[in-house]
Amino acid sequence: MRGLAFAARSLAVLLLAAFLLVPQRFAPLFEPFTEYGAPPIYDQGSLLGLAVAHLLLVFAATALSALVAVGLAVFVTRPSGAEFLPLSRTLVNIGQTFPPVAVLAIAVPLVGFGLVPTLIALFAYGLLPIFENTVAGLRSCPPAVLEAATGMGLDRRQRLYTVELPLALPLLLEGIRLSLVVNIGTATLGSTVAAKGLGEVIIAGLLSNNTAFILQGALVTGLLAILLYDAMGGLERRILGALNVGGGA
Amino acid sequence: MIELQSLTKRYGATTVVDAVSMTVERGTVAAIVGTSGSGKSTLLRMINRLIEPSAGTVRIDGRDTAGVPGHMLRREIGYVIQGHGLFPHRTVADNIGTVPGLLGWERARIAARVDELLALFQLDPGLYRGQFPHQLSGGQQQRVGVARALAAGPSVLLMDEPFGALDPIIRDKAQADLLAIQRRFGTTVVIVTHDMDEAFRLGSRIGVMTGGRLLQFASPTELLTRPADPFVERLTGTADRALRLLSLTTAASLVEPGSGECTVPAGATLREVLSELLWHRAGAATVLDESARPLGRVTMERLCAHGRPG
């Protein structure tokens, strides 16, 4: 089973790398999806460049979401911030339920076209899973452990950093992973407002009625999401194992 | 030594602890008993300021604790709770070394102290130092919990139903260990429990609380023979009070010259001697010291006289 998973993973990585580095080699594969001699492989820019830009955009947005969501989650689980929990929950829920396209539509008149409105949309969209998971993680710390920590003389900061956050980490990381993967897909929308990313390939395909382009954009994005999900899982196990929390022990 | 003076805790209009004053002498064990909601846990938690008192003072070894920041105070006071509260993501050694670490001890000193405590609690340091709490049995976890509370050598140890989750055999052992270690370090202990047997076994003095008030704080014998309040009598129970009384004294203290038809160890309680006498239908038992040499005997007559002194 393990060997099979490893083989599938390696194959996916190799396939993706090969396609991004030498896309022209795959031309025969995509030929049947074109009409009237249209180019079978996206030719209006480097696929590798677009993929890297796409990833960077998603990483930046998720990092920002994580920073804000974790900070907020810590705040509302302190006694002083408890009354802000419903409000915070409403805010991050709006971030999730408000369609990213709508966020783009609102953000563009305010901040112009390009990277920034996309960053805002992805940031808002990624808050909820990280916030809710971190709150759940912090709340799942056994009361006896917290009582013992305080009873031994840890101050609030020490208790947060040495007990609560390490114990909440499995759920927190799971939230980040979820956010990251969802945003890989969502980020393709950024290309409608001229943010560099894999959405460009899909949109170019839609505009020129070239199914091959659409397929390429979608496949690369999908593969990236799957591989990233997988890689994050491995990273999580490593971090948790090193800290001996969650399933790591 | 712990001195409480009119210690009070109010939440709004309800008074949870009502002007409790008591003095726990250095190196003694005070057991606080009471029904749930009697305020005994709140009282305990005001001593290390996990709960801030509404009024009154707490002095530990003569010093008013109100002037010390709460978390600094708690580093000097051992604290054990039911369900041990060990950090699941830290090794046994890291758990025990928590307070010394907070106090800034050097690594080598912490390691030496951890090994010393593990050995004291009959846990092989080489084997258990690096284990995680979930790898230990319930009894072992509980021992590590007590070891952790004693790590920095506190003069005061507070315990809130520490043995409540243990099965009777392990609890018996844990109580014996606690007494041995308490005597060895001369620690002043306050233990909250709802188990009367535990209170009578461990307490040098027993405090009875109800409705936030301390009804009586006295030696076990006094509590049985001169209860200050009908509630005290009810809580300690009257049906077996003579037996309880007997359980407070050892055979060694009633020895007279002679021999009997059965044998008991010198450390046996009079209650155990009585049981042996009844079992063997004997009138007297020979008392043996640790190396099984006869010290003398305890007769049924003297035993009976002891069932209600004064």
Side-chain angles (χ1 to χ4, degrees), chain A residues 147 150 153 158 162 244-245, chain B residues 45 74-75 79 89 132 148:
Chain A
E147 160 123 12
T150 311
Q158 288 164 334
T162 61
N244 191 60
V245 286
Chain B
R45 291 152 59 94
R74 288 189 281 274
R75 289 173 194 179
Y79 186 53
H89 60 303
F132 287 95
R148 181 172 71 168

Side-chain angles (χ1 to χ4, degrees), chain B residues 190-213:
Chain B
V190 181
I191 178 170
V192 161
T193 177
H194 61 242
D195 177 353
M196 287 313 282
D197 291 328
E198 184 165 273
F200 274 95
R201 173 157 186 200
L202 299 177
S204 326
R205 299 181 83 187
I206 298 175
V208 179
M209 283 189 75
T210 185
R213 286 178 310 120

Side-chain angles (χ1 to χ4, degrees), chain A residues 142 144-145 147-155 158 162-163 166-167 243-245 249, chain B residues 45 50 71 74-75 79 81 83-90 98-99 102 132 134 148:
Chain A
V145 171
E147 160 123 12
T150 311
M152 277 189 296
L154 275 78
D155 61 31
Q158 288 164 334
T162 61
V163 182
L167 292 180
L243 289 172
N244 191 60
V245 286
Chain B
R45 291 152 59 94
L50 274 173
H71 64 278
R74 288 189 281 274
R75 289 173 194 179
Y79 186 53
I81 52 176
H84 64 72
L86 295 176
F87 299 149
H89 60 303
R90 299 277 190 91
T98 305
V99 179
L102 289 173
F132 287 95
H134 70 93
R148 181 172 71 168

Side-chain angles (χ1 to χ4, degrees), chain A residues 136-225:
Chain A
L138 288 171
R139 284 193 167 167
S140 68
C141 295
V145 171
L146 298 182
E147 160 123 12
T150 311
M152 277 189 296
L154 275 78
D155 61 31
R156 284 167 188 216
R157 177 179 288 266
Q158 288 164 334
R159 194 177 94 161
L160 175 67
Y161 286 114
T162 61
V163 182
E164 293 179 74
L165 281 178
L167 292 180
L169 203 59
L171 274 171
L172 190 160
L173 289 177
E174 199 53 42
I176 293 182
R177 183 188 188 188
L178 208 62
S179 212
L180 205 57
V181 169
V182 167
N183 270 345
I184 288 272
T186 313
T188 51
L189 291 173
S191 306
T192 59
V193 295
K196 230 180 142 204
L198 290 164
E200 269 184 52
V201 185
I202 298 172
I203 288 170
L206 289 170
L207 289 177
S208 60
N209 212 2
N210 186 338
T211 313
F213 283 10
I214 301 176
L215 267 178
Q216 282 155 37
L219 283 174
V220 172
T221 309
L223 214 51
L224 270 182

Side-chain angles (χ1 to χ4, degrees), chain B residues 200 220-227 237-250 253-254 269-274 277 298-310:
Chain B
F200 274 95
T221 311
E222 202 180 333
L223 210 65
L224 289 168
T225 53
R226 284 191 295 278
T238 49
D240 59 352
R241 57 187 164 188
L243 294 176
R244 261 200 216 289
L245 211 50
L246 288 178
S247 73
L248 297 172
T249 318
T250 57
S253 59
L254 280 195
T269 66
L270 292 184
R271 180 181 181 149
E272 287 159 348
V273 176
L274 176 66
L277 290 177
V298 174
T299 61
M300 188 63 124
E301 244 169 301
R302 282 201 77 179
L303 203 67
C304 291
H306 220 78
R308 185 170 183 187

